[in-house]
Structures are given as C-alpha cells and as structure tokens.
Amino acid sequence: MGMSATSRRTVSRATVEKWAWANLVANIAIILTGGLVRLTASGLGCPTWPRCTDESFVPHGALGWHGAIEFGNRMLTYVLVVVAIGAVVATWRWTGATRTQLRLVLGIAIGIPFQGVIGGITVLTDLNPWVVSLHLLLSMALVVAATVFLVSLRGGEGTVDPRAAWVVRAAYVVLLAAIYLGTIVTGSGPHAGDADAPRNDLDPAWWSRTHAISVWVFVALTVVAIVMLRGQARRVGLLVLVAGMAQGLIGYVQYFTDLPIALVAAHLIGAAALLALATWWWLTARPVAS
C-alpha cells in the first residue's frame, strides 16, 4: 500500500487543475463546433456513422466543406477523449484526490464517447431535432461536471444563509429549464443542420416567448439572491447576472435579426459559459448547516 501511495505522489494540485481547465474548455469548445455543424447546414456533411461515408472514415472532395466541418467536429471528440484521459490519470496520481473527484473525472471520461454515440444517432436519424437537443444537453451536463471538478480543486465552495441558498437553487433550476426550452426553440427554427432535416413542428414564436420568460425569471431570482448574499457568493452572483443579461441581449438581437449564424453561435457559447458560472455559484452558496 505504501509503495502505491508513493508512486502516485508525482502530480501536483496545480497540474490536476490545468487538466481540469482543459476539460472544461474542451467541453465548451465542442458545443461551439457542434453548433457550427448545424448552423452551416453541415449536419449530414458526413452522411453516415461511424464512417463518414459508406466507403470511408474520412470525407472526400465531393462532400465539400460541409464534410470537412462535420468531420472536424467528430475529430474534436477524440481531442476531448485525450484530455479526459489525461485528467483521469493526473487525478489518480495526485494523492490529494478524493473519491468524489475521481468519480467526477471518470464520469466525464465515460460521458464523452457516449456523447459521440448520440452524435452518431443524430446523423442516422437524419438530424431529428429531439435527438439533436439531447446531444447538446449531454454536452451541457459534461460542462457542469467539469465545473464541479474544477471548483473542488480550487476550493471555491462555501456556505451561506439557507434562504439565500434556496433562491440560488431556484435560479439554477430555472436556468436549466431555460436551456431546455432553448433547444425546443432551436428545433422549431430554421437552422436544422441540413436543408432536408425534420423540424419539431412547434410554433417558434410561442416557444421563443416562453424561453424568454424563463430567462427573465432566472434574472429576477438572480437579483433577489444577490441582494440576500454577501462576500464571494455575492461576487459570483454578480458575474452570473452580467452573463445572464448578456445572454438575454444576444437572444433578443438574434431573434429580431432573423438568427444570423455568428449571433446564434455566440448564444450557444454564452449558454455553456453561463451554466458553468451558475454551477460555480451553486457551489459557493450552499446552505449552512443549522
């Protein structure tokens, strides 16, 4: 047992933290590249899975730039796998690692190839909007896990008055609902990922308004929580509020300018960054034990 502990004592907390940052950034980056696949109508740039075509794992010239974009997104999955494995090895070799931290980093490593399989299913179902939304939601779950792992390393957790903590929790739940509603709006909108891809046949205007209302509820709860909080929890809450307002602004502008690709991509990245910040906020505002 002693030899095992000694052999593991070769990685510092700082090294594990770098891998944790890489995990978080990479899982946000693939949300952007996945979004660009959809926004550039490249969702069927590689028309089958796991191969790109029936004859080849890589795209050929006839598929054009759509094939390159879709294939590039698939390749980024392998980068994520390498980063996730690096994080697992570094965490295991760091003697300060807790069982929870090991489980978190292992869960991320397992979730990434599973995410790749769901990506394959989206292609095989000709970009069914409900499967596409599941693809995004799993990426968001990996962002949450990567954030929790990073915060656990940086010691950013804290406790606050239980009433304030519950307002933070309510805001977080509303944010999750807003993100899900956003996927429904996307499934009803014009950026399907391919000209022939199905839509969910829901009213985009009605679902856009419902999504907007959920964001306003989130912002209102965030403001209430900030008023009730002090110290670090309030500072993180202010960051969440700024990110939430910016995200709302992008959402309104993209809606009234007929969804330009650049703004939709920014809205996607904003959602991932806002969720990461809100997760950090949840961890800094846990209810103090009575």
Side-chain angles (χ1 to χ4, degrees):
M1 292 295 288
M3 188 176 71
S4 173
T6 303
S7 64
R8 283 179 61 192
R9 196 175 291 116
T10 54
V11 171
S12 66
R13 177 195 292 266
T15 298
V16 178
E17 197 174 306
K18 287 174 184 174
W19 281 106
W21 272 112
N23 234 344
L24 178 59
V25 171
N27 277 289
I28 292 177
I30 203 166
I31 289 174
L32 175 61
T33 62
L36 290 175
V37 167
R38 180 173 57 79
L39 293 167
T40 58
S42 303
L44 296 177
C46 284
T48 189
W49 186 89
R51 293 171 181 259
C52 184
T53 67
D54 288 334
E55 298 81 27
S56 174
F57 279 98
V58 298
H60 51 69
L63 295 172
W65 64 295
H66 292 305
I69 291 172
E70 162 66 2
F71 186 70
N73 184 58
R74 291 187 185 190
M75 288 300 97
L76 187 56
T77 299
Y78 294 103
V79 175
L80 260 70
V81 169
V82 171
V83 171
I85 291 172
V88 169
V89 172
T91 306
W92 184 82
R93 293 182 66 188
W94 174 48
T95 53
T98 65
R99 190 168 293 179
T100 299
Q101 287 169 332
L102 281 166
R103 285 174 178 164
L104 268 172
V105 79
L106 273 170
I108 295 167
I110 292 168
I112 290 166
F114 185 60
Q115 170 74 321
V117 171
I118 295 178
I121 294 171
T122 66
V123 171
L124 298 176
T125 57
D126 294 328
L127 310 183
N128 180 290
W130 300 107
V131 182
V132 172
S133 70
L134 179 62
H135 195 41
L136 173 66
L137 293 171
L138 180 53
S139 275
M140 290 293 188
L142 291 171
V143 167
V144 170
T147 304
V148 173
F149 179 58
L150 178 60
V151 172
S152 74
L153 293 169
R154 294 177 62 85
E157 300 181 32
T159 54
V160 300
D161 177 84
R163 290 170 299 178
W166 284 111
V167 177
V168 172
R169 275 155 172 64
Y172 192 84
V173 169
V174 172
L175 175 61
L176 295 179
I179 290 172
Y180 181 68
L181 288 168
T183 69
I184 295 178
V185 173
T186 297
S188 67
H191 295 302
D194 187 79
D196 299 322
R199 301 282 69 204
N200 60 23
D201 296 328
L202 299 173
D203 179 4
W206 190 90
W207 284 98
S208 293
R209 286 192 291 272
T210 304
H211 173 58
I213 290 168
S214 69
V215 173
W216 279 114
V217 173
F218 166 72
V219 168
L221 287 168
T222 300
V223 170
V224 171
I226 289 168
V227 171
M228 298 173 71
L229 292 166
R230 298 289 180 271
Q232 186 191 19
R234 170 178 273 188
R235 289 191 293 273
V236 178
L238 286 168
L239 286 175
V240 171
L241 179 62
V242 170
M245 294 293 286
Q247 180 71 342
L249 177 62
I250 293 171
Y252 274 109
V253 174
Q254 72 169 9
Y255 182 79
F256 289 112
T257 54
D258 295 324
L259 305 175
I261 288 175
L263 281 182
V264 178
H267 200 51
L268 262 176
I269 284 291
L274 177 57
L275 182 58
L277 282 170
T279 302
W280 179 25
W281 195 28
W282 173 299
L283 295 169
T284 59
R286 294 180 303 166
V288 64
S290 56

